[in-house]
Tab-separated table of all heavy atoms in Angstrom:
chain	number	residue	atom	x	y	z
A	69	LEU	N	-2.775	25.882	86.339
A	69	LEU	CA	-1.997	24.707	85.900
A	69	LEU	C	-1.004	24.348	87.035
A	69	LEU	O	-0.648	25.196	87.828
A	69	LEU	CB	-1.299	24.975	84.595
A	69	LEU	CG	-2.149	25.077	83.359
A	69	LEU	CD1	-1.282	25.466	82.158
A	69	LEU	CD2	-2.872	23.813	83.062
A	70	PRO	N	-0.521	23.060	87.032
A	70	PRO	CA	0.504	22.723	87.987
A	70	PRO	C	1.714	23.606	87.803
A	70	PRO	O	2.062	23.999	86.668
A	70	PRO	CB	0.816	21.247	87.593
A	70	PRO	CG	-0.384	20.743	86.895
A	70	PRO	CD	-0.985	21.933	86.155
A	71	THR	N	2.354	23.962	88.907
A	71	THR	CA	3.449	24.899	88.874
A	71	THR	C	4.642	24.355	88.047
A	71	THR	O	5.476	25.065	87.505
A	71	THR	CB	3.988	25.205	90.296
A	71	THR	OG1	4.338	23.971	90.944
A	71	THR	CG2	2.934	25.997	91.049
A	72	ASP	N	4.711	22.992	87.919
A	72	ASP	CA	5.807	22.365	87.151
A	72	ASP	C	5.414	21.980	85.727
A	72	ASP	O	6.066	21.172	85.100
A	72	ASP	CB	6.293	21.126	87.908
A	72	ASP	CG	5.243	20.085	88.076
A	72	ASP	OD1	4.109	20.274	87.596
A	72	ASP	OD2	5.514	18.995	88.658
A	73	HIS	N	4.320	22.556	85.255
A	73	HIS	CA	3.801	22.068	83.941
A	73	HIS	C	4.782	22.314	82.788
A	73	HIS	O	4.779	21.626	81.785
A	73	HIS	CB	2.426	22.741	83.629
A	73	HIS	CG	2.498	24.149	83.260
A	73	HIS	ND1	2.541	25.139	84.228
A	73	HIS	CD2	2.493	24.764	82.071
A	73	HIS	CE1	2.520	26.297	83.639
A	73	HIS	NE2	2.549	26.153	82.339
A	74	GLU	N	5.632	23.347	82.944
A	74	GLU	CA	6.655	23.557	81.879
A	74	GLU	C	7.843	22.671	82.020
A	74	GLU	O	8.334	22.070	81.072
A	74	GLU	CB	7.114	25.027	81.927
A	74	GLU	CG	6.060	26.029	81.485
A	74	GLU	CD	5.840	25.941	79.957
A	74	GLU	OE1	6.611	25.318	79.242
A	74	GLU	OE2	4.855	26.543	79.404
A	75	SER	N	8.351	22.517	83.242
A	75	SER	CA	9.561	21.725	83.470
A	75	SER	C	9.330	20.240	83.417
A	75	SER	O	10.262	19.469	83.207
A	75	SER	CB	10.187	22.060	84.850
A	75	SER	OG	9.297	21.770	85.915
A	76	GLN	N	8.090	19.804	83.577
A	76	GLN	CA	7.767	18.327	83.583
A	76	GLN	C	6.758	17.982	82.508
A	76	GLN	O	5.893	17.128	82.738
A	76	GLN	CB	7.351	17.885	84.948
A	76	GLN	CG	8.356	18.104	86.086
A	76	GLN	CD	8.153	17.142	87.187
A	76	GLN	OE1	8.813	16.079	87.265
A	76	GLN	NE2	7.309	17.503	88.137
A	77	LYS	N	6.856	18.625	81.378
A	77	LYS	CA	5.866	18.359	80.281
A	77	LYS	C	5.859	16.850	79.944
A	77	LYS	O	4.798	16.313	79.622
A	77	LYS	CB	6.275	19.188	79.077
A	77	LYS	CG	5.519	20.520	79.032
A	77	LYS	CD	5.836	21.230	77.748
A	77	LYS	CE	5.086	22.579	77.682
A	77	LYS	NZ	5.332	23.327	76.411
A	78	GLN	N	7.030	16.244	79.929
A	78	GLN	CA	7.077	14.781	79.476
A	78	GLN	C	6.257	13.906	80.435
A	78	GLN	O	5.631	12.945	80.017
A	78	GLN	CB	8.503	14.324	79.496
A	78	GLN	CG	8.728	12.972	78.807
A	78	GLN	CD	8.256	13.037	77.319
A	78	GLN	OE1	8.654	13.870	76.593
A	78	GLN	NE2	7.442	12.020	76.927
A	79	LEU	N	6.226	14.279	81.732
A	79	LEU	CA	5.442	13.509	82.680
A	79	LEU	C	3.953	13.489	82.299
A	79	LEU	O	3.334	12.442	82.215
A	79	LEU	CB	5.631	14.149	84.092
A	79	LEU	CG	4.875	13.603	85.250
A	79	LEU	CD1	5.584	14.051	86.548
A	79	LEU	CD2	3.405	14.097	85.385
A	80	TYR	N	3.430	14.661	81.974
A	80	TYR	CA	1.996	14.824	81.677
A	80	TYR	C	1.707	14.153	80.353
A	80	TYR	O	0.631	13.561	80.174
A	80	TYR	CB	1.615	16.297	81.694
A	80	TYR	CG	1.774	16.879	83.052
A	80	TYR	CD1	2.839	17.718	83.387
A	80	TYR	CD2	0.833	16.650	84.091
A	80	TYR	CE1	3.016	18.242	84.672
A	80	TYR	CE2	0.968	17.142	85.320
A	80	TYR	CZ	2.120	17.973	85.591
A	80	TYR	OH	2.259	18.471	86.860
A	87	LEU	N	-2.924	19.438	79.789
A	87	LEU	CA	-2.525	20.675	80.435
A	87	LEU	C	-3.380	21.816	79.956
A	87	LEU	O	-2.866	22.800	79.343
A	87	LEU	CB	-1.023	20.937	80.247
A	87	LEU	CG	-0.085	19.970	81.073
A	87	LEU	CD1	1.306	20.182	80.658
A	87	LEU	CD2	-0.299	20.187	82.557
A	120	HIS	N	-4.578	20.027	94.266
A	120	HIS	CA	-4.740	20.504	92.967
A	120	HIS	C	-5.333	19.313	92.170
A	120	HIS	O	-4.856	18.199	92.252
A	120	HIS	CB	-3.316	20.843	92.418
A	120	HIS	CG	-3.346	21.744	91.266
A	120	HIS	ND1	-2.181	22.020	90.533
A	120	HIS	CD2	-4.318	22.498	90.637
A	120	HIS	CE1	-2.464	22.807	89.533
A	120	HIS	NE2	-3.708	23.128	89.589
A	129	ARG	N	-3.325	16.097	93.189
A	129	ARG	CA	-1.983	16.476	93.615
A	129	ARG	C	-2.040	17.066	95.016
A	129	ARG	O	-2.738	18.047	95.253
A	129	ARG	CB	-1.381	17.516	92.670
A	129	ARG	CG	-1.203	17.025	91.230
A	129	ARG	CD	-0.744	18.148	90.318
A	129	ARG	NE	0.567	18.677	90.696
A	129	ARG	CZ	1.690	18.276	90.187
A	129	ARG	NH1	1.719	17.352	89.208
A	129	ARG	NH2	2.874	18.791	90.583
A	187	PHE	N	-0.399	12.478	93.319
A	187	PHE	CA	0.941	13.016	93.313
A	187	PHE	C	1.243	13.644	94.732
A	187	PHE	O	0.396	14.307	95.372
A	187	PHE	CB	1.019	14.203	92.299
A	187	PHE	CG	1.116	13.746	90.891
A	187	PHE	CD1	-0.049	13.524	90.150
A	187	PHE	CD2	2.335	13.559	90.260
A	187	PHE	CE1	-0.037	13.152	88.786
A	187	PHE	CE2	2.389	13.177	88.909
A	187	PHE	CZ	1.216	12.945	88.224
A	189	GLU	N	3.899	16.222	96.030
A	189	GLU	CA	4.911	17.174	95.527
A	189	GLU	C	5.930	17.435	96.604
A	189	GLU	O	5.661	17.632	97.778
A	189	GLU	CB	4.224	18.481	95.097
A	189	GLU	CG	3.335	18.400	93.951
A	189	GLU	CD	2.813	19.762	93.547
A	189	GLU	OE1	3.345	20.745	94.045
A	189	GLU	OE2	1.888	19.810	92.785
A	190	LYS	N	7.238	17.547	96.227
A	190	LYS	CA	8.304	18.061	97.039
A	190	LYS	C	8.212	17.462	98.461
A	190	LYS	O	7.964	18.160	99.437
A	190	LYS	CB	8.242	19.592	97.103
A	190	LYS	CG	8.454	20.253	95.745
A	190	LYS	CD	8.373	21.710	95.803
A	190	LYS	CE	8.572	22.334	94.403
A	190	LYS	NZ	8.451	23.822	94.441
A	264	TRP	N	10.981	10.372	91.676
A	264	TRP	CA	11.875	11.052	90.700
A	264	TRP	C	12.307	12.415	91.203
A	264	TRP	O	11.659	12.955	92.176
A	264	TRP	CB	11.301	11.218	89.305
A	264	TRP	CG	10.136	12.141	89.259
A	264	TRP	CD1	10.210	13.468	88.859
A	264	TRP	CD2	8.748	11.887	89.556
A	264	TRP	NE1	8.959	14.019	88.877
A	264	TRP	CE2	8.019	13.090	89.343
A	264	TRP	CE3	8.110	10.743	90.043
A	264	TRP	CZ2	6.655	13.207	89.576
A	264	TRP	CZ3	6.740	10.870	90.245
A	264	TRP	CH2	6.048	12.054	90.027
A	266	ASN	N	12.700	16.372	91.201
A	266	ASN	CA	12.094	17.536	90.626
A	266	ASN	C	12.792	18.746	91.253
A	266	ASN	O	12.427	19.181	92.379
A	266	ASN	CB	10.598	17.527	90.943
A	266	ASN	CG	9.876	18.750	90.371
A	266	ASN	OD1	10.440	19.524	89.645
A	266	ASN	ND2	8.580	18.934	90.752
A	271	ASP	N	9.702	13.996	94.103
A	271	ASP	CA	8.247	13.900	93.916
A	271	ASP	C	7.892	12.404	93.908
A	271	ASP	O	8.710	11.573	93.573
A	271	ASP	CB	7.754	14.526	92.639
A	271	ASP	CG	7.703	16.032	92.724
A	271	ASP	OD1	8.075	16.603	93.776
A	271	ASP	OD2	7.281	16.657	91.686
Side-chain angles (χ1 to χ4, degrees):
L69 289 175
T71 54
D72 62 0
H73 71 278
E74 288 289 349
S75 62
Q76 298 205 94
K77 269 186 178 177
Q78 192 60 48
L79 179 160
Y80 298 101
L87 288 173
H120 200 191
R129 299 174 62 95
F187 286 86
E189 295 184 14
K190 300 180 179 178
W264 67 97
N266 181 7
D271 282 3

